[in-house]
Amino acid sequence: MNVVIIGAQWGDEGKGKMVDFLASDAQIVVRFSGGANAGHTIVLGGEKYALHLVPSGILYPDKTVILGSGMVIDPEALFKELEDLEKKGVDWKGRVFISDRAHLVLPRYREMDRETEARRSKPIGTTGRGIGVAYSLKASRDGVRLADIDDEERLVNLTDEDRAWLSLWKDRLLPLKIDMVAYLRQHRNTWRLFEGAQGALLDIDTGTYPFVSSGMSCAAGAAAQGGIGPRGIDRILGVFKAYSTRVGNGPFPTEFADDSAGSLSQYIRTVGNEYGTTTGRPRRCGYLDLVALRYACAVNSIDRLVLTHLDVYDDLEEFEACIGYRIDGQMREDFPASVRNLERAEPVLRTFSGWKTALGTCRTYEELPLRAREYIEFIEEFTETPISIVSVGSDRNHTIVRESPWIK
Ligand code: GDP
Ligand code: IMO
Ligand code: MG
């Protein structure tokens, strides 16, 4: 059985936590896209693990994890991450594999990324990890795949420096290389999780272009870049927070206008610890945008939603969520493609009463206060998508399962 998990907002929704949680029932976890721009956090027994390239199933000693075909992999970052895991007692050897179709990020891509950003009149606010450069070269057919690094003919267009650098990593990369499609076919009777990076609104096609990342963070990415094809997907889960955040630049209709000391924006950033896992940048905060979430559900055929960070609202008297946009005086209930329209969109907000109760100890849906359930049920109705899992804290066990994704 194949379950896909993607971000349904602008990234950092808690995908790492959910993949780690659901991986207890899986045998294989495939990360299908992105690179070291991602930061997936797992908290286990008080210990924090920040993963960038390694799939979030790695903390279980018996799971196989695969870096999929849609990924762009910086070997330096990968082996540093694996060494850090080893220092924390995670034995990864023999169960971390890389698709031979995955692309590599060369050191000069990072420089090119920063130079391109510096030249932009409106910078995107990239993570500076060379991601856009790697995907551009992939699209222009000048990228370097893992399958190519021992094929001299494929490397003729590289500089001597590139080739020397690749030869440094070759002996460590090649033992991890697999034909992922064949591997998954051979292990077809396993339960597999497909872990997305970034989020639907940062996807190159479905996101707020050009303020997006360059990979496929949409569910379709799991089919094309996870090695199973569209019919292989059994279930698609979209993870979203009780509010919205965004790192880097680009339109964000529900962003709090006031970010001064004592503002709600700063409160949420502090309580939710909204600082980038990869760059440490403070995340921009705002209310939940249901128009954007409904769009993410539609464009990704999300079967079930996973709500995280509900506990961040524990102490609020009341809060709001966006149920429409007003653009030039006109009401809109759909998510516009134009950045200009998104920037001008005034959110139409609905107010919800807070629950003023700590949710951290709740383990069943019925234990949640009525006000929290009312919020959940409003979201389900608005998006026409059931919420099957609710997360009330960062630890693996801070999780309420209403319906397991593993049941067909
Ligand atoms: P990802 O990129 O989607 O994996 O998310 P990140 O790891 O970048 O950011 C999510 C952050 O929220 C991490 O620090 C998680 O430990 C934390 N987190 C996840 N779920 C919850 C939750 O339900 N409540 C709270 N308070 N924190 C959470
Ligand atoms: P996870 O998987 C949040 C954002 C960057 C920038 C834009 C383009 O942890 O949810 P890039 O370096 O990819 O070219 O930057 O995308 N971005 C993310 N924001 N979470 C992420 O990943 C992100 N990966 C990229 O901040 O705005
Ligand atoms: Mg993240």
Side-chain angles (χ1 to χ4, degrees):
M1 185 166 178
N2 297 318
V3 174
V4 176
I5 301 192
I6 59 158
Q9 295 167 310
W10 281 285
D12 304 326
E13 300 91 347
K15 298 176 292 296
K17 177 198 154 154
M18 286 324 307
V19 171
D20 167 75
F21 175 78
L22 293 172
S24 69
D25 288 319
Q27 285 83 49
I28 301 171
V29 180
V30 178
R31 175 73 191 265
F32 59 86
S33 73
N37 49 349
H40 295 182
T41 316
I42 302 170
V43 181
L44 187 55
E47 176 95 67
K48 204 170 184 169
Y49 300 83
L51 301 173
H52 302 283
L53 290 161
V54 178
S56 300
I58 193 70
L59 299 188
Y60 298 87
D62 56 336
K63 314 293 176 196
T64 296
V65 304
I66 306 175
L67 286 79
S69 307
M71 286 190 74
V72 288
I73 300 164
D74 178 342
E76 229 169 301
L78 174 64
F79 288 106
K80 162 92 176 52
E81 198 171 315
L82 291 170
E83 273 160 31
D84 288 348
L85 283 168
E86 214 166 299
K87 280 186 203 142
K88 289 191 171 180
V90 179
D91 184 9
W92 59 269
K93 294 202 174 96
R95 58 194 190 91
V96 174
F97 299 108
I98 311 176
S99 164
D100 52 7
R101 290 183 164 83
H103 280 244
L104 299 179
V105 173
L106 274 50
R108 67 182 159 91
Y109 296 4
R110 293 193 296 256
E111 276 162 47
M112 289 159 75
D113 184 356
R114 286 175 210 145
E115 282 164 14
T116 312
E117 271 286 90
R119 276 200 306 274
R120 287 188 171 112
S121 58
K122 281 196 172 182
I124 290 164
T126 73
T127 58
R129 300 294 193 270
I131 305 299
V133 177
Y135 282 116
S136 303
L137 289 170
K138 172 180 175 175
S140 62
R141 292 145 295 172
D142 293 313
V144 181
R145 298 177 312 163
L146 185 54
D148 304 329
I149 63 169
D150 50 0
D151 176 355
E152 282 303 320
E153 226 173 277
R154 280 288 309 134
L155 306 178
V156 285
N157 293 327
L158 296 182
T159 65
D160 289 345
E161 214 176 319
D162 290 338
R163 276 198 293 269
W165 184 85
L166 278 173
S167 68
L168 287 178
W169 294 104
K170 193 169 140 176
D171 292 345
R172 296 179 75 180
L173 283 168
L174 287 178
L176 310 186
K177 181 179 88 160
I178 57 164
D179 175 340
M180 181 176 68
V181 179
Y183 185 94
L184 291 177
R185 194 169 39 78
Q186 283 153 17
H187 296 82
R188 61 165 69 81
N189 292 326
T190 51
W191 284 8
R192 288 87 67 97
L193 268 179
F194 292 81
E195 176 180 9
Q198 290 78 56
L201 305 178
L202 285 173
D203 176 89
I204 186 75
D205 287 293
T206 67
T208 50
Y209 191 90
F211 297 96
V212 290
S213 189
S214 304
M216 286 179 84
S217 33
C218 57
Q225 308 183 328
I228 49 167
R231 285 192 207 281
I233 299 176
D234 294 292
R235 180 138 298 166
I236 300 170
L237 303 183
V239 187
F240 75 106
K241 289 185 212 197
Y243 47 94
S244 307
T245 63
R246 172 160 208 171
V247 212
N249 303 324
F252 183 178
T254 61
E255 182 172 18
F256 296 126
D258 178 10
D259 193 38
S260 61
S263 64
L264 180 61
S265 179
Q266 290 223 356
Y267 173 83
I268 287 180
R269 188 174 302 123
T270 307
V271 178
N273 190 26
E274 295 298 352
Y275 293 89
T277 313
T278 299
T279 57
R281 290 180 288 179
R283 295 176 182 147
R284 298 157 64 192
C285 299
Y287 282 130
L288 176 62
D289 186 338
L290 284 164
V291 178
L293 186 64
R294 185 167 57 191
Y295 164 76
C297 287
V299 81
N300 287 291
S301 332
I302 289 174
D303 297 300
R304 296 289 186 269
L305 283 165
V306 175
L307 166 61
T308 65
H309 296 78
L310 192 58
D311 54 295
V312 174
Y313 276 173
D314 280 356
D315 288 330
L316 299 187
E317 281 297 339
E318 58 176 32
F319 57 87
E320 294 173 305
C322 169
I323 53 166
Y325 299 144
R326 194 166 284 116
I327 304 174
D328 295 334
Q330 298 254 10
M331 264 296 285
R332 280 190 67 165
E333 291 185 349
D334 49 352
F335 190 72
S338 147
V339 166
R340 203 167 142 262
N341 280 343
L342 278 169
E343 279 169 350
R344 287 182 311 155
E346 293 166 44
V348 177
L349 298 168
R350 181 193 195 281
T351 304
F352 295 83
S353 300
W355 40 89
K356 304 281 283 174
T357 313
L359 302 185
T361 53
C362 297
R363 293 293 174 271
T364 63
Y365 189 65
E366 291 65 36
E367 282 174 73
L368 288 173
L370 177 67
R371 303 280 196 219
R373 282 183 277 135
E374 277 172 358
Y375 186 42
I376 291 172
E377 285 159 28
F378 183 88
I379 300 169
E380 291 183 310
E381 208 173 298
F382 191 94
T383 58
E384 298 174 350
T385 312
I387 295 176
S388 62
I389 302 178
V390 180
S391 170
V392 291
S394 53
D395 203 89
R396 191 188 275 173
N397 68 9
H398 286 137
T399 313
I400 297 169
V401 181
R402 297 174 75 191
E403 182 199 71
S404 165
W406 297 113
I407 296 164
K408 271 205 190 182

